[in-house]
Amino acid sequence: MEGLQIGPDSSLAADQQFHLVANSLAQLLETATREFARDREAAKASLVTASHILQAEIERCSGANGSTEGGLAAWQVARVRAYVDCNLHRTIHIRDLSAVARRSKAHFSRKFKLAVGESPHAYVVKRRLEKACHLMMTNEASLSEIALSVGFSDQAHLCRLFRQAFGQSPARWRRERGIHGEASRTSADENIP
């Protein structure tokens, strides 16, 4: 065994880490399953904890593969993501995100891009578009209501960024999926004599 080094990057250490994380996740999921009927809040807490552990492990593995080298720590990325998701309806400034990550604005912007692969602004726009898609699929709110609820200044702002991202208007995207929203109601109302 002379010359054999077992460090944090060795396959044995990685294997042990994987088993530790997998066992923790399994226990949390078992607790959630067991508590679901009795105490939904306890079950929810177990699921949230399992989700955070899994996300941190994914980010750790990504960092081990070099994709986030020099970026933010996993806890910082997780806090920023949670902050963005909870505040999509508001204007999100870089100063707010850097404060959440406890970094200066300039340092945060560089490190966030290294960790996530896109600028903080691009990430926020992407999350707003994802949330807008979700809302277009799950309710019949008008596009202007959806635009405002996810933090776009108006419907035109949503439409311009949506077209850039998806190559078509949100109304067409919604119609193609058979989702009845403002556009569908308007065209249906026009056919009424």
Side-chain angles (χ1 to χ4, degrees):
M1 295 279 275
E2 190 175 330
L4 177 66
Q5 295 181 348
I6 299 179
D9 294 331
S10 74
S11 84
L12 180 59
D15 210 29
Q16 289 172 339
Q17 171 105 17
F18 171 79
H19 288 294
L20 178 66
V21 170
N23 286 335
S24 296
L25 289 172
Q27 289 173 354
L28 286 165
L29 294 172
E30 286 173 14
T31 300
T33 303
R34 195 173 48 250
E35 292 295 324
F36 188 74
R38 286 186 292 171
D39 185 356
R40 288 189 185 240
E41 286 303 312
K44 183 179 176 182
S46 291
L47 291 173
V48 167
T49 304
S51 174
H52 287 261
I53 289 171
L54 186 56
Q55 184 64 40
E57 184 63 11
I58 289 168
E59 289 169 2
R60 186 192 66 76
C61 290
S62 296
N65 294 331
S67 65
T68 62
E69 190 171 312
L72 298 172
W75 69 267
Q76 292 170 313
V77 173
R79 285 185 63 176
V80 169
R81 286 180 172 161
Y83 179 86
V84 168
D85 288 343
C86 290
N87 292 283
L88 284 176
H89 61 287
R90 298 187 207 172
T91 301
I92 299 174
H93 297 284
I94 195 73
R95 70 175 174 263
D96 302 326
L97 299 178
S98 63
V100 168
R102 299 183 185 159
R103 295 287 174 251
S104 71
K105 290 188 290 189
H107 179 78
F108 169 76
S109 293
R110 285 191 311 274
K111 298 301 183 178
F112 185 86
K113 187 166 185 172
L114 281 172
V116 177
E118 58 192 341
S119 70
H121 176 73
Y123 177 77
V124 170
V125 168
K126 181 180 82 174
R127 293 297 297 141
R128 285 185 168 143
L129 288 172
E130 290 169 353
K131 180 71 173 183
C133 288
H134 172 75
L135 291 173
M136 286 189 292
M137 289 189 299
T138 59
N139 68 54
E140 294 186 12
S142 69
L143 291 177
S144 59
E145 291 170 325
I146 290 172
L148 294 175
S149 73
V150 298
F152 291 116
S153 56
D154 55 23
Q155 182 177 342
H157 190 201
L158 166 65
C159 290
R160 182 174 50 82
L161 293 172
F162 195 94
R163 188 177 298 278
Q164 286 175 355
F166 299 104
Q168 61 183 331
S169 72
R172 182 174 179 197
W173 183 90
R174 203 177 208 186
R175 274 192 309 272
E176 286 179 356
R177 283 155 184 76
I179 301 164
H180 301 291
E182 170 190 19
S184 300
R185 286 194 310 267
T186 304
S187 58
D189 293 345
E190 290 171 358
N191 295 329
I192 298 174

